[in-house]
Structures are given as structure tokens and as C-alpha cells.
Amino acid sequence: AEICFTERIRVDEGDIEELADNIAEHGLINPITVMMKESGGYMLISGYRRLKACAMLGCDAVSAAVLTAIDAEERLRLEISENEQRKDFTVAEKVEYARKIRVVEEEKARQRMSLYARGGNPTKEGRLARATPENVGKKGRTRDEVARAVGFGSGAQLERAEYVAKHRPDLLQKVDRGEETIYGAYRTAYEEKKTQGAVKP
């Protein structure tokens, strides 16, 4: 079945070849995690490096834990909670979790839309059966709610971090080390982008 990806933060992926060698020797111990899509196929939730390593090995099939949109949301909440307790939640990881939450929320919205179009079926659809004409089509969590869920102070701060992650991901490491603020990194990335845009090819 087809596995779709969303835009991923450009961070160091580590040694994929070493991971591939490990999988070749021991097998895929931890399956990747995917979410079922209303339109068919699956969306990757976690396991990007493992999937790339398996592709490098030429694997025809990969073990995967298949989640519904509701289950995927609960899995993300648990992972976020565990990371906060360990205090090793980097800015890049926060941005990545925010992206995943949006993907899950968008899929939940599509499922609500489909459920409402079918007239709803509480016995089969569980919590998604609460769809009504009023909530169908809503975008799910607001920007500020997503930001708070992953540990940012505001939606504006999350947007700045996302901008840095897209244009100058290397600056996020300075933020993590306390050498730069998110706002400072954003201003640097923004000014560089503006300067580049002002230069004619």
C-alpha cells in the first residue's frame, strides 16, 4: 500500500547506512507507525529513518503499526508528554510534532466530513460520530492550541520556529543551546531571505 509523507524538517538524519546494516542483521525490531487515510493509503507518523533504511535494503514490505486518526492523536500526546518529562524536547522536535498534529487534525476533519455525508454511524465510527453540520469542515485545533500542545508559548512563536526550521534549520541548534532566542533566529532567517529576494538573478 502507498505510504505518503508530509514536508519534514531538514535535520540531520544520522547514518542511514548504519541503521540499514543493523536492520539487515537483526530485522526491523520497532515497526514504523502509519495512519489510515480516508482517501486510501497511509500517512507516515513515525519511522522516517527506518523506512529509508528499509528502502535502501530493497525491502518489498515493512512492518507497520496502523493507527486510526484518533489513535494517532493519542499516540502523539503520549510521546509529547514523555518527552517533556525527560526534558530533551528540542525546538526542531516541537516543530515536527506540531506538523504531525496538524496532519492528524486534517485527517480527522476529512473523516468527519465523510461521516456527515454518510449520515453518521455511531456504532462504527466511535468518537468521530459526533460530527454535525456545525463542526464539519472546521480546521481542528487553532494555531495557539497546537503551539501549547507541543510546548511553545504562543502560535506566533511556533510560526517563527517553523520559519527558521524551513529556511535556517541550523539556527535551531543554537536556540537549544541557549545561544539564540527563537525570535532572534527568526529575524536572522527572515533578513537573509529578504536580502536574497532583493537580489536579481
Side-chain angles (χ1 to χ4, degrees):
E2 180 183 1
I3 299 178
C4 299
F5 300 85
T6 57
E7 184 179 355
R8 188 172 184 271
I9 298 173
R10 292 174 295 170
V11 296
D12 184 8
E13 296 177 351
D15 192 340
I16 299 294
E17 289 188 12
E18 182 178 346
L19 177 58
D21 290 340
N22 186 275
I23 291 175
E25 181 177 356
H26 303 290
L28 185 61
I29 298 174
N30 296 314
I32 65 172
T33 303
V34 297
M35 177 181 65
M36 291 185 293
K37 296 174 58 183
E38 178 72 20
S39 58
Y42 303 92
M43 179 69 70
L44 183 70
I45 296 297
S46 64
Y48 178 81
R49 294 181 67 252
R50 282 166 280 164
L51 193 58
K52 285 197 68 173
C54 288
M56 185 180 293
L57 293 171
C59 298
D60 295 327
V62 178
S63 298
V66 181
L67 306 179
T68 64
I70 291 292
D71 291 335
E73 180 183 44
E74 292 179 349
R75 171 72 66 86
L76 289 175
R77 285 179 179 175
L78 178 60
E79 289 182 6
I80 290 170
S81 176
E82 289 176 346
N83 272 317
E84 286 175 340
Q85 290 175 6
R86 291 200 304 267
K87 296 183 179 180
D88 61 356
F89 213 18
T90 67
V91 177
E93 287 172 332
K94 290 179 181 180
V95 173
E96 184 73 8
Y97 274 120
R99 179 193 63 80
K100 290 180 178 180
I101 288 174
R102 288 196 185 98
V103 168
V104 171
E105 289 292 336
E106 289 169 1
E107 180 60 28
K108 285 170 60 181
R110 280 190 289 270
Q111 291 183 15
R112 284 194 296 268
M113 180 72 77
S114 176
L115 175 63
Y116 178 67
R118 298 193 307 268
N121 192 331
T123 61
K124 292 184 178 180
E125 306 294 345
R127 280 167 284 181
L128 288 175
R130 293 195 295 267
T132 67
E134 289 73 29
N135 66 24
V136 168
K138 284 188 176 180
K139 294 183 178 180
R141 300 188 191 191
T142 66
R143 180 188 67 170
D144 288 340
E145 288 175 331
V146 172
R148 285 193 293 269
V150 297
F152 286 104
S154 66
Q157 188 181 49
L158 168 57
E159 286 190 348
R160 293 183 187 118
E162 288 174 329
Y163 188 92
V164 176
K166 182 176 182 179
H167 299 289
R168 283 293 306 276
D170 56 297
L171 292 178
L172 294 181
Q173 296 177 7
K174 289 188 175 183
V175 175
D176 288 328
R177 292 195 298 265
E179 299 171 4
E180 183 62 275
T181 64
I182 290 177
Y183 182 76
Y186 165 75
R187 292 301 307 174
T188 297
Y190 177 79
E191 291 299 329
E192 286 182 359
K193 192 69 176 176
K194 187 170 68 172
T195 301
Q196 292 170 4
V199 176
K200 295 182 179 180

